[in-house]
Amino acid sequence: MNVFELTRALVDIDSVTPNEEKVGLYLADLLSGLAAQTGGQVETIEVEPHRFNVLATWGQPIVTFSTHIDTVPPFFPSREDEQWIWGRGACDTKGIIASMVHAVEGLLSEGVRGIALLFVVGEERNSAGALTAAKQSRGSRFIINGEPTENKLALGSKGALRFEVTARGRMAHSAYPHLGESAIEKLLDALERVRRIPLGHDPVLGASTLNIGTIHGGRAPNVIPDHASAEVFIRIVDSGDAFRAAIAEAVAGFAEAREVLCIPALHMATLPSDAMARFETTVVSYTTDIPAFGGAWGRPFLIGPGSIHFAHTDEERVPKAELLEAIEIYKQLARQLITQ
Protein backbone atom coordinates (compact mmCIF):
# COMPACT_ATOMS: atom_id res chain seq x y z
CA MET A 1 0.00 0.00 0.00
CA ASN A 2 1.63 3.27 -1.09
CA VAL A 3 1.58 6.42 1.03
CA PHE A 4 -1.46 7.87 -0.76
CA GLU A 5 -3.47 4.68 -0.34
CA LEU A 6 -2.52 4.42 3.33
CA THR A 7 -3.44 8.05 3.96
CA ARG A 8 -6.88 7.52 2.44
CA ALA A 9 -7.40 4.26 4.34
CA LEU A 10 -6.66 6.03 7.61
CA VAL A 11 -8.81 9.06 6.78
CA ASP A 12 -11.74 6.78 5.99
CA ILE A 13 -11.71 5.42 9.55
CA ASP A 14 -13.69 7.77 11.79
CA SER A 15 -11.49 8.56 14.80
CA VAL A 16 -13.01 11.74 16.18
CA THR A 17 -11.95 12.03 19.83
CA PRO A 18 -12.59 9.80 21.86
CA ASN A 19 -13.50 7.17 19.24
CA GLU A 20 -9.98 6.09 18.28
CA GLU A 21 -10.40 2.33 18.80
CA LYS A 22 -10.97 1.35 15.15
CA VAL A 23 -8.03 3.27 13.76
CA GLY A 24 -5.87 1.99 16.65
CA LEU A 25 -6.75 -1.60 15.77
CA TYR A 26 -6.03 -0.92 12.10
CA LEU A 27 -2.58 0.48 12.90
CA ALA A 28 -1.75 -2.29 15.37
CA ASP A 29 -2.57 -4.88 12.72
CA LEU A 30 -0.63 -3.03 10.01
CA LEU A 31 2.46 -2.60 12.19
CA SER A 32 2.29 -6.19 13.47
CA GLY A 33 2.69 -7.38 9.89
CA LEU A 34 5.69 -5.10 9.37
CA ALA A 35 7.22 -6.11 12.72
CA ALA A 36 6.84 -9.83 11.95
CA GLN A 37 8.87 -9.37 8.77
CA THR A 38 11.57 -7.16 10.29
CA GLY A 39 12.13 -8.35 13.85
CA GLY A 40 10.11 -5.68 15.61
CA GLN A 41 7.58 -5.71 18.43
CA VAL A 42 4.14 -4.12 18.63
CA GLU A 43 2.04 -3.45 21.71
CA THR A 44 -1.09 -1.54 22.58
CA ILE A 45 -1.03 0.56 25.76
CA GLU A 46 -4.41 1.19 27.35
CA VAL A 47 -5.28 4.78 28.16
CA GLU A 48 -8.96 4.24 28.92
CA PRO A 49 -11.38 1.42 28.06
CA HIS A 50 -11.50 1.10 24.24
CA ARG A 51 -8.76 3.74 23.88
CA PHE A 52 -5.10 2.83 23.55
CA ASN A 53 -1.76 4.00 22.19
CA VAL A 54 0.05 1.87 19.61
CA LEU A 55 3.81 1.37 20.02
CA ALA A 56 6.09 -0.46 17.57
CA THR A 57 9.79 -0.81 18.33
CA TRP A 58 12.82 -2.18 16.51
CA GLY A 59 15.51 -2.60 19.13
CA GLN A 60 16.08 -0.13 21.93
CA PRO A 61 14.71 3.09 20.39
CA ILE A 62 17.04 6.01 19.93
CA VAL A 63 14.56 7.87 17.73
CA THR A 64 10.79 7.66 18.18
CA PHE A 65 8.37 8.90 15.53
CA SER A 66 5.11 9.98 17.13
CA THR A 67 1.84 11.69 16.35
CA HIS A 68 -1.82 11.42 17.36
CA ILE A 69 -4.53 9.26 15.82
CA ASP A 70 -7.60 11.25 16.87
CA THR A 71 -9.22 14.06 14.87
CA VAL A 72 -11.56 16.94 15.51
CA PRO A 73 -15.21 16.63 14.42
CA PRO A 74 -16.99 16.28 12.12
CA PHE A 75 -15.83 13.16 10.29
CA PHE A 76 -15.93 13.19 6.50
CA PRO A 77 -14.31 10.59 4.21
CA SER A 78 -11.41 10.90 1.82
CA ARG A 79 -11.20 11.85 -1.82
CA GLU A 80 -8.27 12.79 -4.00
CA ASP A 81 -7.33 14.66 -7.12
CA GLU A 82 -4.05 15.06 -8.92
CA GLN A 83 -2.54 17.33 -6.27
CA TRP A 84 -4.32 16.70 -2.95
CA ILE A 85 -5.78 14.10 -0.63
CA TRP A 86 -8.84 15.49 1.12
CA GLY A 87 -10.77 14.41 4.23
CA ARG A 88 -10.91 14.77 7.98
CA GLY A 89 -7.45 14.17 9.35
CA ALA A 90 -5.74 14.31 5.95
CA CYS A 91 -3.12 16.73 7.26
CA ASP A 92 -3.87 16.50 10.99
CA THR A 93 -2.49 13.85 11.18
CA LYS A 94 -3.27 10.78 9.08
CA GLY A 95 -1.06 11.78 6.17
CA ILE A 96 1.71 12.25 8.72
CA ILE A 97 1.10 8.73 10.10
CA ALA A 98 1.33 7.30 6.57
CA SER A 99 4.58 9.16 5.86
CA MET A 100 6.08 8.03 9.18
CA VAL A 101 5.17 4.39 8.54
CA HIS A 102 6.74 4.51 5.08
CA ALA A 103 9.83 6.26 6.44
CA VAL A 104 10.30 3.51 9.02
CA GLU A 105 9.81 0.86 6.33
CA GLY A 106 12.54 2.54 4.31
CA LEU A 107 14.92 2.77 7.26
CA LEU A 108 14.36 -0.88 8.16
CA SER A 109 15.12 -1.93 4.58
CA GLU A 110 18.45 -0.10 4.95
CA GLY A 111 19.24 -2.10 8.08
CA VAL A 112 18.60 0.77 10.50
CA ARG A 113 17.44 -0.21 13.98
CA GLY A 114 16.91 1.71 17.22
CA ILE A 115 13.67 3.28 15.94
CA ALA A 116 10.07 3.29 17.12
CA LEU A 117 6.60 4.41 16.10
CA LEU A 118 4.32 5.75 18.84
CA PHE A 119 0.76 6.70 17.91
CA VAL A 120 -1.32 8.22 20.71
CA VAL A 121 -4.94 9.08 21.44
CA GLY A 122 -6.55 12.27 22.66
CA GLU A 123 -4.28 15.07 21.48
CA GLU A 124 -7.19 17.12 20.17
CA ARG A 125 -8.79 17.26 23.60
CA ASN A 126 -6.42 16.73 26.55
CA SER A 127 -3.31 14.80 25.41
CA ALA A 128 -4.46 11.75 27.39
CA GLY A 129 -2.40 9.37 25.26
CA ALA A 130 0.81 11.39 25.55
CA LEU A 131 0.38 11.74 29.30
CA THR A 132 0.05 7.96 29.59
CA ALA A 133 3.06 7.41 27.31
CA ALA A 134 5.13 9.78 29.44
CA LYS A 135 4.87 7.27 32.28
CA GLN A 136 6.05 4.41 30.06
CA SER A 137 9.15 5.70 28.31
CA ARG A 138 11.35 3.18 26.52
CA GLY A 139 14.43 5.36 26.93
CA SER A 140 14.27 7.02 23.52
CA ARG A 141 16.76 9.89 23.18
CA PHE A 142 14.83 11.84 20.53
CA ILE A 143 11.16 12.14 19.62
CA ILE A 144 10.08 13.37 16.19
CA ASN A 145 6.55 14.63 16.68
CA GLY A 146 4.32 15.02 13.64
CA GLU A 147 2.04 18.01 13.12
CA PRO A 148 1.40 20.04 9.95
CA THR A 149 4.44 22.32 9.43
CA GLU A 150 4.63 22.17 5.60
CA ASN A 151 7.68 19.92 6.12
CA LYS A 152 9.58 22.70 7.87
CA LEU A 153 11.46 21.94 11.07
CA ALA A 154 9.81 23.90 13.87
CA LEU A 155 12.15 25.88 16.10
CA GLY A 156 9.46 26.30 18.73
CA SER A 157 5.77 26.39 19.48
CA LYS A 158 3.74 28.95 21.36
CA GLY A 159 2.02 27.91 24.55
CA ALA A 160 -1.58 28.32 25.62
CA LEU A 161 -3.15 30.13 28.58
CA ARG A 162 -6.93 30.12 28.96
CA PHE A 163 -9.11 31.91 31.49
CA GLU A 164 -12.79 32.08 32.24
CA VAL A 165 -13.67 35.62 33.36
CA THR A 166 -16.89 35.90 35.39
CA ALA A 167 -18.74 39.01 36.57
CA ARG A 168 -21.69 39.08 38.97
CA GLY A 169 -24.33 41.75 39.40
CA ARG A 170 -27.89 42.23 40.67
CA MET A 171 -31.07 41.88 38.65
CA ALA A 172 -33.52 44.76 38.34
CA HIS A 173 -36.13 46.08 35.94
CA SER A 174 -34.34 47.75 33.02
CA ALA A 175 -36.52 50.86 33.47
CA TYR A 176 -34.85 51.36 36.87
CA PRO A 177 -31.18 50.45 36.32
CA HIS A 178 -30.11 52.22 39.50
CA LEU A 179 -31.82 49.45 41.47
CA GLY A 180 -29.59 46.77 39.93
CA GLU A 181 -25.98 46.16 39.01
CA SER A 182 -25.09 45.11 35.46
CA ALA A 183 -22.77 42.10 35.30
CA ILE A 184 -22.34 42.66 31.57
CA GLU A 185 -21.09 46.20 32.02
CA LYS A 186 -18.64 45.00 34.67
CA LEU A 187 -17.46 42.24 32.37
CA LEU A 188 -16.97 44.68 29.48
CA ASP A 189 -14.92 46.97 31.73
CA ALA A 190 -12.79 44.01 32.84
CA LEU A 191 -12.22 42.82 29.27
CA GLU A 192 -11.24 46.29 28.12
CA ARG A 193 -8.55 46.32 30.81
CA VAL A 194 -7.46 42.80 29.77
CA ARG A 195 -7.07 43.98 26.17
CA ARG A 196 -4.66 46.68 27.32
CA ILE A 197 -2.26 44.21 28.97
CA PRO A 198 1.12 44.32 27.18
CA LEU A 199 1.72 41.01 25.41
CA GLY A 200 5.06 39.24 25.59
CA HIS A 201 7.56 38.80 22.78
CA ASP A 202 10.21 36.16 22.18
CA PRO A 203 13.03 36.58 19.63
CA VAL A 204 12.30 33.13 18.16
CA LEU A 205 8.58 32.59 18.78
CA GLY A 206 7.47 36.16 18.10
CA ALA A 207 4.60 37.94 19.85
CA SER A 208 1.93 36.58 22.14
CA THR A 209 -1.64 36.97 20.91
CA LEU A 210 -4.92 37.33 22.78
CA ASN A 211 -8.40 36.24 21.73
CA ILE A 212 -11.70 36.82 23.54
CA GLY A 213 -13.38 33.71 22.24
CA THR A 214 -16.83 33.67 23.86
CA ILE A 215 -19.09 36.02 25.82
CA HIS A 216 -22.25 34.91 27.64
CA GLY A 217 -24.62 36.72 29.96
CA GLY A 218 -27.94 38.27 30.73
CA ARG A 219 -31.51 37.07 31.15
CA ALA A 220 -33.54 39.24 28.80
CA PRO A 221 -33.22 42.64 27.12
CA ASN A 222 -35.44 44.25 29.75
CA VAL A 223 -33.61 42.77 32.77
CA ILE A 224 -30.43 44.17 34.33
CA PRO A 225 -28.06 41.16 34.03
CA ASP A 226 -26.85 39.48 37.20
CA HIS A 227 -24.30 37.20 35.53
CA ALA A 228 -21.86 37.40 32.60
CA SER A 229 -18.77 35.45 31.55
CA ALA A 230 -16.16 35.33 28.83
CA GLU A 231 -13.40 32.95 27.75
CA VAL A 232 -9.99 34.46 27.04
CA PHE A 233 -7.29 32.53 25.19
CA ILE A 234 -3.68 33.73 25.02
CA ARG A 235 -1.01 32.17 22.83
CA ILE A 236 1.97 32.73 25.11
CA VAL A 237 5.69 32.79 24.26
CA ASP A 238 6.92 32.17 27.81
CA SER A 239 5.78 30.42 30.98
CA GLY A 240 2.67 32.60 31.26
CA ASP A 241 3.52 33.80 34.78
CA ALA A 242 3.62 37.49 33.85
CA PHE A 243 0.25 37.42 32.09
CA ARG A 244 -1.29 35.40 34.92
CA ALA A 245 -0.45 38.17 37.37
CA ALA A 246 -1.49 40.91 34.95
CA ILE A 247 -4.96 39.49 34.27
CA ALA A 248 -5.66 39.10 37.98
CA GLU A 249 -4.82 42.78 38.44
CA ALA A 250 -6.81 43.85 35.36
CA VAL A 251 -10.10 42.26 36.42
CA ALA A 252 -9.85 43.13 40.11
CA GLY A 253 -12.93 45.01 41.25
CA PHE A 254 -14.89 44.05 38.14
CA ALA A 255 -14.76 40.27 37.78
CA GLU A 256 -12.96 37.07 38.70
CA ALA A 257 -10.54 35.21 36.40
CA ARG A 258 -10.25 31.43 36.72
CA GLU A 259 -7.34 29.73 34.98
CA VAL A 260 -8.54 26.77 32.90
CA LEU A 261 -5.44 25.75 30.95
CA CYS A 262 -1.74 26.55 30.89
CA ILE A 263 0.76 25.01 28.45
CA PRO A 264 4.10 26.84 28.47
CA ALA A 265 5.77 27.87 25.23
CA LEU A 266 8.38 25.44 23.98
CA HIS A 267 11.71 25.77 22.21
CA MET A 268 12.49 22.64 20.18
CA ALA A 269 15.74 20.74 19.94
CA THR A 270 18.10 21.72 17.14
CA LEU A 271 20.77 19.99 15.08
CA PRO A 272 24.38 20.99 14.48
CA SER A 273 24.56 24.02 12.20
CA ASP A 274 25.65 22.07 9.12
CA ALA A 275 22.71 19.68 9.53
CA MET A 276 20.23 22.49 10.29
CA ALA A 277 21.16 24.12 7.00
CA ARG A 278 19.51 21.19 5.17
CA PHE A 279 16.08 21.97 6.63
CA GLU A 280 13.68 24.83 6.15
CA THR A 281 12.54 26.11 9.56
CA THR A 282 9.45 27.70 11.02
CA VAL A 283 7.73 28.65 14.27
CA VAL A 284 4.21 27.41 15.03
CA SER A 285 1.53 29.13 17.07
CA TYR A 286 -0.36 25.99 18.06
CA THR A 287 0.31 23.56 20.89
CA THR A 288 1.16 19.86 20.54
CA ASP A 289 1.57 16.69 22.58
CA ILE A 290 5.24 17.51 23.20
CA PRO A 291 4.72 19.25 26.58
CA ALA A 292 2.62 16.29 27.76
CA PHE A 293 5.49 13.91 26.98
CA GLY A 294 7.55 15.93 29.45
CA GLY A 295 10.87 14.87 27.94
CA ALA A 296 10.21 11.20 28.72
CA TRP A 297 10.73 10.15 25.10
CA GLY A 298 13.72 12.37 24.48
CA ARG A 299 14.53 15.76 23.02
CA PRO A 300 11.68 16.94 20.77
CA PHE A 301 11.63 17.76 17.08
CA LEU A 302 8.45 18.88 15.30
CA ILE A 303 7.84 18.47 11.58
CA GLY A 304 5.21 17.13 9.20
CA PRO A 305 3.53 17.53 5.81
CA GLY A 306 0.47 19.72 5.32
CA SER A 307 -0.56 23.19 6.39
CA ILE A 308 -2.12 23.99 9.75
CA HIS A 309 -4.35 26.45 7.88
CA PHE A 310 -6.29 23.51 6.41
CA ALA A 311 -6.45 21.53 9.66
CA HIS A 312 -9.77 21.66 11.58
CA THR A 313 -11.57 23.04 8.51
CA ASP A 314 -14.17 21.60 6.15
CA GLU A 315 -11.54 21.81 3.39
CA GLU A 316 -8.88 19.78 5.18
CA ARG A 317 -6.35 18.37 2.73
CA VAL A 318 -2.67 17.50 2.32
CA PRO A 319 -0.47 17.86 -0.78
CA LYS A 320 0.60 14.53 -2.24
CA ALA A 321 4.02 15.97 -3.02
CA GLU A 322 4.55 16.83 0.65
CA LEU A 323 3.64 13.30 1.75
CA LEU A 324 6.38 11.91 -0.48
CA GLU A 325 8.81 14.60 0.61
CA ALA A 326 8.06 13.89 4.28
CA ILE A 327 9.12 10.26 3.93
CA GLU A 328 12.59 11.32 2.85
CA ILE A 329 12.79 14.11 5.45
CA TYR A 330 11.86 11.71 8.27
CA LYS A 331 14.48 9.21 7.10
CA GLN A 332 17.13 11.92 6.82
CA LEU A 333 16.35 13.31 10.26
CA ALA A 334 16.38 9.87 11.90
CA ARG A 335 19.72 8.95 10.32
CA GLN A 336 21.20 12.25 11.51
CA LEU A 337 19.99 11.73 15.08
CA ILE A 338 21.09 8.10 15.28
CA THR A 339 24.61 8.88 14.07
CA GLN A 340 24.69 12.00 16.24
Side-chain angles (χ1 to χ4, degrees):
M1 188 180 298
N2 66 37
V3 69
F4 305 148
E5 293 167 338
L6 180 54
T7 297
R8 290 197 62 178
L10 292 168
V11 169
D12 286 336
I13 302 172
D14 182 352
S15 61
V16 172
T17 320
N19 300 314
E20 303 100 337
E21 184 177 28
K22 288 183 180 179
V23 75
L25 291 170
Y26 180 92
L27 285 167
D29 182 66
L30 176 73
L31 295 176
S32 293
L34 177 61
Q37 298 169 13
T38 54
Q41 294 183 330
V42 177
E43 61 183 296
T44 57
I45 302 169
E46 185 178 63
V47 177
E48 296 174 355
H50 304 289
R51 302 181 72 202
F52 51 86
N53 298 333
V54 179
L55 174 65
T57 57
W58 288 267
Q60 173 61 39
I62 299 170
V63 175
T64 297
F65 294 95
S66 181
T67 190
H68 59 94
I69 62 176
D70 62 317
T71 73
V72 297
F75 167 75
F76 52 94
S78 71
R79 61 183 175 89
E80 67 178 295
D81 55 34
E82 186 175 337
Q83 183 179 2
W84 306 89
I85 293 178
W86 304 67
R88 175 58 74 222
C91 69
D92 189 18
T93 60
K94 293 183 175 179
I96 292 171
I97 294 171
S99 292
M100 285 183 167
V101 170
H102 276 267
V104 166
E105 286 181 338
L107 290 167
L108 291 171
S109 69
E110 297 170 11
V112 176
R113 294 299 184 269
I115 51 179
L117 285 164
L118 173 62
F119 299 129
V120 300
V121 300
E123 188 271 350
E124 296 291 3
R125 187 167 298 176
N126 57 9
S127 291
L131 290 168
T132 296
K135 302 173 185 176
Q136 300 167 324
S137 170
R138 298 301 191 272
S140 175
R141 292 180 59 193
F142 306 99
I143 184 167
I144 301 173
N145 192 241
E147 292 285 352
T149 69
E150 300 176 53
N151 282 336
K152 298 174 183 177
L153 194 60
L155 300 176
S157 64
K158 294 182 181 181
L161 187 58
R162 181 157 62 94
F163 290 92
E164 183 179 89
V165 181
T166 303
R168 291 177 174 81
R170 186 173 64 254
M171 283 192 291
H173 195 293
S174 64
Y176 304 91
H178 62 284
L179 298 179
E181 187 179 19
S182 172
I184 288 178
E185 290 183 4
K186 292 168 70 174
L187 178 65
L188 292 175
D189 288 341
L191 293 177
E192 180 56 33
R193 290 165 62 93
V194 167
R195 292 179 63 202
R196 292 200 297 265
I197 296 173
L199 299 176
H201 185 277
D202 180 89
V204 173
L205 301 179
S208 294
T209 58
L210 180 147
N211 180 53
I212 300 171
T214 66
I215 296 179
H216 304 277
R219 306 281 183 172
N222 58 346
V223 177
I224 302 299
D226 62 326
H227 182 273
S229 64
E231 291 176 294
V232 178
F233 200 112
I234 309 98
R235 297 288 179 177
I236 54 176
V237 295
D238 51 25
S239 67
D241 291 342
F243 198 94
R244 186 180 289 111
I247 197 169
E249 181 179 352
V251 305
F254 299 96
E256 297 177 356
R258 182 176 70 89
E259 185 176 315
V260 178
L261 172 73
C262 182
I263 301 174
L266 187 66
H267 288 259
M268 303 297 175
T270 56
L271 300 167
S273 57
D274 58 333
M276 284 296 293
R278 304 187 196 115
F279 295 91
E280 288 188 75
T281 60
T282 189
V283 170
V284 299
S285 297
Y286 52 82
T287 56
T288 71
D289 268 334
I290 290 174
F293 284 119
W297 288 79
R299 295 171 57 205
F301 292 82
L302 180 66
I303 190 168
S307 169
I308 196 65
H309 299 300
F310 295 134
H312 299 197
T313 74
D314 59 1
E315 296 185 350
E316 184 168 357
R317 60 192 187 269
V318 64
K320 291 180 174 179
E322 287 189 19
L323 292 175
L324 295 171
E325 182 184 43
I327 296 170
E328 299 308 314
I329 289 173
Y330 285 141
K331 288 162 61 177
Q332 178 185 359
L333 184 54
R335 291 190 208 101
Q336 171 70 37
L337 294 173
I338 289 170
T339 56
Q340 181 175 310

